[in-house]
Amino acid sequence: MMKRHDSDSNQSSSSTSSSSSNSNSSSPKPAPKRQQQKQQQRRKASLSREQQVLQDYVPKYLKPYVYPYHGEFCYTPLFKTRFIAQLMAEGFLPVATRGMLLPKLHQNRSVIQLPDELHVSKSVRKKSKRFSISVNKEFDQVIEGCHTQHGSHCWLYPPLVKAFREMMGAGKIEASPMDPETGKPYPDRTWTVRLYTIEVWNEETGALAGGEIGYTVGSIYTSLTGFTKEDSAGSVQLIALGRLLSECGFTLWDLGMDMDYKRGIGAKLMPRDTFVQQVHAVRETQDHLLLPSRESPAQNCKEVIDRNQPASQQQPQQQPSQKPKKQKQPKNKKKGPKPPSQPANGADSAEDNDSREQTHTPPAPEAETPVKRVRKSDQPPLELEEASSATC
């Protein structure tokens, strides 16, 4: 893919340079406004439908320098620091090939709404205690790590790396839009762009375990590219960075193109129109947001993750279990055994009396009746006597 970009961009740059030289020789003075409009219309008519759609997203003050390429890419031979910052503030992600800058505007952007949509797995949280995170401490080591991991496919070509180094050295770039008529920035409009490197360190060895390079526009942080040297360092770096962004007030994390591992931490696709609108909405109103400075010490990743957990993801604290108090049950009166079928003292119903008269046999003579001494314990309890009398 990059080889194709190289050849196509070289052809585009040669054609662009020849056309610009011809125009300079024929018309040294700026063409009238009407003539410029006709040139833009002819140029747009020669574009494919896909290129025309992409060109509509290029603002008017950048149209003389940025041209639709193919797919989601534009191209330009310019690598000026302020020019790159202006592209960032318009929603383009700047990547490069040999001799050509390729501003990219994705059809769908992979983004995470902070802080609630960032997913933190238990395994990453457990492993994060072995690492610490810092900001803007090792620009050269981060660039070298990206080159080592991505090899010849890495788009960090020297002119772009130089511009990024200048952006970091300046601290911030004022990417104000330009007046197409005068070529000067509007005095009342200022967009602040800041470039950052993120480093993750192995706390035991002190070695750089991973990192990335990114930039901020308003309350949006964009990840450009990164690397990892140790197992789990990349996953820990992403989660710790997401929590750090939330702590500093950033509300949208732009991860660029869609990939599986990004969806695994909560990323969702945002259409191009929506993303550009988001950038335009916050580039002036939220430009005060900052990540920790270079002088800030590295922080343990697990501490960063735990202290910035959003309220919607916090587990409710379990109260100490208390044994429920037993309610006193009212004491039931002691019930005696059921009364015999033939209650004592002849307490029968009328029906029982009739049936008993029919089957009555005279008692045995008094002498033949065995005498039984009744013990006190054999006497029926008082409750039974009361129950027998209650049946009458």
Side-chain angles (χ1 to χ4, degrees):
M1 179 177 180
M2 297 307 298
K3 290 183 179 179
R4 183 175 59 187
H5 289 175
D6 290 347
S7 59
D8 291 346
S9 60
N10 290 335
Q11 293 176 2
S12 302
S13 61
S14 60
S15 61
T16 304
S17 59
S18 61
S19 61
S20 59
S21 60
N22 294 336
S23 60
N24 291 336
S25 59
S26 60
S27 56
K29 295 183 179 180
K33 185 176 181 180
R34 183 176 298 178
Q35 186 176 351
Q36 289 181 355
Q37 292 177 350
K38 290 182 178 179
Q39 290 177 355
Q40 292 179 0
Q41 290 175 358
R42 287 195 297 267
R43 183 184 301 169
K44 187 173 183 179
S46 63
L47 300 175
S48 66
R49 173 60 182 166
E50 185 181 52
Q51 290 175 323
Q52 291 179 16
V53 171
L54 188 59
Q55 190 185 45
D56 290 339
Y57 287 93
V58 179
K60 187 176 181 180
Y61 71 96
L62 292 179
K63 272 184 167 62
Y65 317 104
V66 181
Y67 314 101
Y69 184 20
H70 70 81
E72 301 170 328
F73 292 92
C74 295
Y75 73 96
T76 176
L78 300 179
F79 284 89
K80 297 293 184 181
T81 303
R82 187 172 182 177
F83 174 70
I84 293 174
Q86 288 172 330
L87 289 169
M88 293 173 172
E90 295 291 353
F92 289 86
L93 191 149
V95 298
T97 186
R98 187 176 293 108
M100 198 67 61
L101 186 68
L102 302 176
K104 185 177 182 180
L105 192 60
H106 303 70
Q107 287 278 3
N108 292 286
R109 208 80 161 216
S110 179
V111 301
I112 298 179
Q113 301 282 351
L114 298 174
D116 294 331
E117 293 189 1
L118 179 65
H119 296 172
V120 182
S121 66
K122 292 182 180 179
S123 61
V124 171
R125 180 178 174 272
K126 183 178 180 181
K127 296 172 183 176
S128 63
K129 62 184 178 182
R130 299 189 289 113
F131 302 97
S132 58
I133 187 171
S134 64
V135 180
N136 284 358
K137 290 192 179 295
E138 295 294 342
F139 177 85
D140 291 331
Q141 287 193 46
V142 171
I143 296 298
E144 181 182 355
C146 294
H147 279 146
T148 301
Q149 178 162 323
H150 301 293
S152 60
H153 297 288
C154 186
W155 48 263
L156 288 169
Y157 280 81
L160 186 56
V161 173
K162 179 183 177 182
F164 285 167
R165 183 179 284 107
E166 292 175 356
M167 293 178 71
M168 175 167 288
K172 64 178 181 180
I173 302 296
E174 303 296 344
S176 304
M178 310 293 287
D179 185 347
E181 303 295 334
T182 64
K184 297 181 179 180
Y186 290 104
D188 57 340
R189 300 181 67 183
T190 302
W191 308 330
T192 302
V193 178
R194 296 179 175 90
L195 193 95
Y196 292 98
T197 59
I198 309 297
E199 303 90 17
V200 169
W201 307 87
N202 185 312
E203 288 199 339
E204 183 178 354
T205 63
L208 185 63
E212 74 164 57
I213 185 170
Y215 63 89
T216 61
V217 176
S219 58
I220 300 175
Y221 174 86
T222 297
S223 291
L224 286 169
T225 186
F227 72 99
T228 179
K229 292 183 177 180
E230 296 184 19
D231 291 340
S232 305
S235 301
V236 170
Q237 179 250 311
L238 286 172
I239 299 303
L241 174 58
R243 289 285 195 242
L244 194 61
L245 291 170
S246 300
E247 183 180 43
C248 296
F250 292 90
T251 57
L252 189 69
W253 186 3
D254 169 27
L255 293 166
M257 65 185 298
D258 182 35
M259 298 184 74
D260 290 340
Y261 79 89
K262 298 174 184 179
R263 291 194 296 268
I265 62 174
K268 298 179 180 178
L269 294 181
M270 178 179 286
R272 176 187 286 172
D273 286 342
T274 306
F275 178 77
V276 172
Q277 292 172 6
Q278 291 265 10
V279 175
H280 291 177
V282 301
R283 61 187 177 185
E284 293 183 38
T285 60
Q286 303 293 327
D287 60 352
H288 61 283
L289 298 178
L290 296 168
L291 283 171
S293 65
R294 177 186 177 91
E295 290 73 23
S296 301
Q299 306 177 62
N300 181 266
C301 289
K302 187 174 185 299
E303 294 178 0
V304 173
I305 293 172
D306 288 347
R307 77 167 181 259
N308 296 311
Q309 188 175 7
S312 60
Q313 297 180 8
Q314 292 180 1
Q315 297 291 336
Q317 295 182 355
Q318 295 182 354
Q319 299 294 336
S321 58
Q322 297 179 355
K323 294 182 178 180
K325 295 181 179 180
K326 293 183 178 181
Q327 297 181 354
K328 293 184 179 181
Q329 298 292 338
K331 293 183 179 180
N332 296 329
K333 290 185 178 180
K334 188 176 180 180
K335 294 183 179 180
K338 293 182 180 180
S341 58
Q342 296 180 1
N345 302 327
D348 299 329
S349 62
E351 184 179 355
D352 291 339
N353 289 336
D354 294 340
S355 60
R356 191 164 49 247
E357 288 179 357
Q358 296 176 3
T359 59
H360 178 69
T361 55
E366 204 172 21
E368 298 179 0
T369 303
V371 178
K372 182 180 180 182
R373 182 175 294 179
V374 179
R375 293 179 298 178
K376 187 175 181 180
S377 59
D378 293 335
Q379 296 177 356
L382 179 62
E383 291 85 348
L384 182 58
E385 293 181 356
E386 293 176 353
S388 300
S389 61
T391 59
C392 297

